[in-house]
Amino acid sequence: MDQREVVVITGASAGVGRATAQAFGRRKARIGLIARGRQGLEAAKREVESLGGEAIVLPLDVSDPEAIERAASQVEEAFGPIDIWINNAMLSVFSPVMEMQPDEYRRVTEVTYLGYVWGTLAALRRMKPRDRGAIVQVGSALAYRGIPLQSAYCAAKHAVQGFHDSLRSELIHDKSKVRVVMVQMPALNTPQFRWVKSRLPRKAQPVPPIFQPEVAAEAIVWAAHSNRREINVGWPTSKAVIGNNFAPGYGDHYLAKHGFDAQMIDEPEDPDRPNNQWGPVDDAQDHGAHGVFDERSTNRSVELELNKQRGWIAAGVALLTLGLISRTWR
């Protein structure tokens, strides 16, 4: 019997999803690749196979629950029971709230929030009866701290966070061994900043410091095999989450002053450029995992490495404390 992991990744054609497919490919996993763009999916499949894994491409829109359900069945028919399901597909709109349109809020919500719900339900229908499996929700620091110019995306990530908490409590109540973990991401160098719809006067950028998508992929793979409920990737994420808990008003004023320019570079945006709101951008081209910010991005997170060793660090601190106490009482 083939003991390799069976994994499903949404948003697998580019960015974080693409890097995650590569990471699981190195583990020789058998992967269902979900996204709208066939060219990116086919390229991801070739990469996975070149790394020793197997993959099938499943072009679909995650806002369609029936399509998600069919894809889950196709993966299990091809590879067997799904071990890990990763919800990652997203949309955003860079725009002031007053300029947003109802269909834009609806669309971002359908993909970035409800796409996670439909994926989770498809996974649970299979994992819950088997009493095993892991579901990874790819989140963001913006699940806790909304920022200007991305209200639809921030709202959707907040919704995912609430959904995650509710589901995890229910699984604990049911004494289920199905695990669900949310991975909160920092700013990442992905192609989305040249894809998503934008009304900004200048081209968008991730708010520095910027991390490469491989950092995110490493965290996702590790999270899928951990017993954590949530993982913050990078110090900026922890700073945003903790800071918002203690001083949300300060965050409001700080972002009002700095949060606009921090999301733009000194290059004018083309208001008529194609965007991925309703379909993939330039599906004839493979965009890969990385965006255009390689020179400004880091491929390592010290905080993530420390986070992964949290148990050992806590044990070391406890032993050191006991040693100091015993020395004091001699």
Side-chain angles (χ1 to χ4, degrees), residues 204-235:
Q205 69 167 354
V207 178
I210 306 169
F211 295 82
Q212 294 287 26
E214 286 77 14
V215 175
E218 178 187 353
I220 290 167
V221 172
W222 188 83
H225 300 92
S226 76
N227 288 314
R228 298 281 185 88
R229 73 180 303 277
E230 190 170 337
I231 296 167
N232 293 337
V233 180
W235 169 242

Side-chain angles (χ1 to χ4, degrees), residues 109-160:
T109 301
E110 287 174 346
V111 172
T112 309
Y113 169 52
L114 290 178
Y116 278 45
V117 175
W118 310 146
T120 298
L121 290 174
L124 285 173
R125 290 187 190 105
R126 291 155 177 82
M127 294 178 178
K128 195 87 184 297
R130 299 170 188 146
D131 202 27
R132 65 181 178 85
I135 301 169
V136 181
Q137 317 289 19
V138 177
S140 168
L142 306 188
Y144 286 93
R145 172 68 251 184
I147 63 174
L149 304 177
Q150 289 200 66
S151 58
Y153 179 80
C154 293
K157 288 298 185 184
H158 275 67
V160 173

Side-chain angles (χ1 to χ4, degrees), residues 6-37:
V6 176
V7 182
V8 176
I9 304 170
T10 73
S13 62
V16 170
R18 181 70 168 268
T20 303
Q22 295 164 1
F24 275 105
R26 294 185 189 96
R27 296 172 62 91
K28 318 302 181 189
R30 312 176 84 187
I31 309 171
L33 303 167
I34 293 176
R36 295 176 297 174

Side-chain angles (χ1 to χ4, degrees), residues 47-300:
E47 288 174 348
V48 167
E49 292 173 345
S50 72
L51 293 166
E54 291 184 59
I56 56 172
V57 301
L58 301 157
L60 63 89
D61 191 316
V62 297
S63 66
D64 182 345
E66 294 180 357
I68 286 282
E69 181 63 25
R70 287 193 299 271
S73 295
Q74 288 176 263
V75 171
E76 297 214 329
E77 288 168 8
F79 296 145
I82 296 167
D83 298 299
I84 299 168
W85 186 290
I86 298 161
N87 287 310
N88 166 72
M90 55 76 66
L91 283 180
S92 185
V93 177
F94 287 100
S95 172
V97 169
M98 289 296 292
E99 296 179 35
M100 289 287 291
Q101 299 300 310
D103 67 322
E104 294 168 346
Y105 276 117
R106 185 178 299 110
R107 179 65 176 152
V108 172
T109 301
E110 287 174 346
V111 172
T112 309
Y113 169 52
L114 290 178
Y116 278 45
V117 175
W118 310 146
T120 298
L121 290 174
L124 285 173
R125 290 187 190 105
R126 291 155 177 82
M127 294 178 178
K128 195 87 184 297
R130 299 170 188 146
D131 202 27
R132 65 181 178 85
I135 301 169
V136 181
Q137 317 289 19
V138 177
S140 168
L142 306 188
Y144 286 93
R145 172 68 251 184
I147 63 174
L149 304 177
Q150 289 200 66
S151 58
Y153 179 80
C154 293
K157 288 298 185 184
H158 275 67
V160 173
Q161 178 64 45
F163 174 71
H164 165 72
D165 290 344
S166 296
L167 172 59
R168 194 166 188 278
S169 294
E170 290 184 16
L171 291 172
I172 292 169
H173 172 271
D174 295 343
K175 296 182 173 56
S176 174
K177 293 180 182 178
V178 176
R179 294 174 289 110
V180 59
V181 56
M182 192 162 180
V183 185
Q184 311 294 15
M185 297 298 180
L188 296 165
N189 175 32
T190 68
Q192 66 156 312
F193 296 91
R194 296 298 175 266
W195 282 356
V196 302
K197 190 170 186 176
S198 178
R199 294 190 178 90
L200 303 184
R202 291 175 279 138
K203 290 183 178 180
Q205 69 167 354
V207 178
I210 306 169
F211 295 82
Q212 294 287 26
E214 286 77 14
V215 175
E218 178 187 353
I220 290 167
V221 172
W222 188 83
H225 300 92
S226 76
N227 288 314
R228 298 281 185 88
R229 73 180 303 277
E230 190 170 337
I231 296 167
N232 293 337
V233 180
W235 169 242
T237 303
S238 292
K239 182 171 67 173
V241 173
I242 295 168
N244 196 62
N245 286 337
F246 286 95
Y250 171 79
D252 296 339
H253 288 274
Y254 179 87
L255 288 165
K257 184 175 181 180
H258 301 286
F260 287 71
D261 284 342
Q263 295 186 73
M264 293 181 276
I265 62 172
D266 292 329
E267 190 174 334
E269 179 61 281
D270 176 5
D272 298 319
R273 69 162 171 80
N275 65 72
N276 68 345
Q277 196 74 0
W278 298 101
V281 173
D282 191 10
D283 192 29
Q285 180 181 352
D286 170 34
H287 297 271
H290 288 212
V292 298
F293 304 100
D294 278 336
E295 293 183 0
R296 300 168 51 200
S297 301
T298 180
N299 59 9
R300 185 166 181 264

